[in-house]
Amino acid sequence: VNSVISFALRPVAGALLDSYGRKPFLVLCPLFSAIARACVLARPGTREYVAYRILINIALLPLWSAITSYLCDKFGRATPKYTVAMQRMRVILTLVGLLANRVGSRIGSAKTNIALSCLVNLLASASFLLFTSESLKKEERKEFAVSKAANPLSFLSLISRSQRLRSLAPILIMQAVPDYDYTSRTFHRQ
């Protein structure tokens, strides 16, 4: 479900970034993620967890696009500074992910892990709010119109016309299954 939602809504997220700028999404994506996590903490249950998994995907969907667009606006695409900034960003995110796995495995409590993730999301949102300026100039913004944004279901016709894309669809789904299975097992074990 998360893979389909992500694939379908990505063009709309890009159109929103080009219309409203980068900073609102840099601030709001982690904030909405924290809210989704706080909701599952407040009321744990299977239905709430499924809703959380869907909402967290929607909340974080534009974040990576906002980060890459922000860096592109600041340094220019395919410049040495942009390449270095992207490499540093990947290293930082990898280190944070490894640290989160290490801390999470030591804590062992799903509730505490979700609370810590909520705190990290709030800190990220506050950091973007306080230390990041808008990188997309007002004159470069495009008007957002639903009719001009990519149809979220247009990917179905695109996949149906391309044998290569049809053959990649199961790989995308199979890639997402282990992630969901791990988080589902962690949730149910607690």
Side-chain angles (χ1 to χ4, degrees):
V1 172
N2 283 336
S3 297
V4 171
I5 289 172
S6 174
F7 189 63
L9 293 181
R10 195 166 302 279
V12 174
L16 287 168
L17 282 168
D18 289 341
S19 179
Y20 296 106
R22 296 10 171 168
K23 187 170 181 174
F25 294 93
L26 291 171
V27 173
L28 293 176
C29 289
L31 180 64
F32 288 148
S33 174
I35 291 169
R37 287 184 165 111
C39 288
V40 84
L41 274 176
R43 190 167 176 193
T46 304
R47 265 194 336 233
E48 289 78 7
Y49 181 72
V50 171
Y52 155 76
R53 293 291 299 169
I54 293 170
L55 291 175
I56 201 82
N57 189 42
I58 293 171
L60 293 175
L61 176 68
L63 184 59
W64 184 250
S65 296
I67 290 170
T68 56
S69 297
Y70 176 84
L71 292 174
C72 183
D73 294 343
K74 289 290 187 184
F75 302 119
R77 184 166 299 282
T79 63
K81 284 185 176 183
Y82 174 80
T83 304
V84 168
M86 288 301 294
Q87 288 171 343
R88 287 181 181 161
M89 182 63 66
R90 286 188 181 101
V91 167
I92 290 169
L93 291 175
T94 300
L95 291 175
V96 168
L98 290 172
L99 180 64
N101 284 338
R102 178 94 170 160
V103 170
S105 66
R106 290 194 176 224
I107 292 173
S109 165
K111 202 170 191 176
T112 305
N113 281 328
I114 293 172
L116 286 173
S117 295
C118 185
L119 178 64
V120 167
N121 286 144
L122 289 173
L123 290 173
S125 182
S127 296
F128 283 129
L129 178 66
L130 297 173
F131 303 116
T132 305
S133 60
E134 176 58 61
S135 64
L136 185 64
K137 298 174 186 161
K138 293 236 184 229
E139 59 271 7
E140 293 177 4
R141 294 183 186 190
K142 301 172 184 170
E143 184 179 333
F144 179 76
V146 176
S147 61
K148 288 185 179 179
N151 178 357
L153 300 177
S154 64
F155 72 95
L156 293 175
S157 63
L158 181 68
I159 288 175
S160 67
R161 286 184 274 157
S162 169
Q163 177 62 32
R164 286 183 175 174
L165 286 176
R166 276 196 306 271
S167 64
L168 289 176
I171 294 171
L172 179 66
I173 292 169
M174 294 307 290
Q175 176 188 357
V177 168
D179 294 336
Y180 177 79
D181 187 45
Y182 171 76
T183 56
S184 177
R185 277 185 283 124
T186 302
F187 175 75
H188 288 293
R189 189 174 58 220
Q190 302 301 321

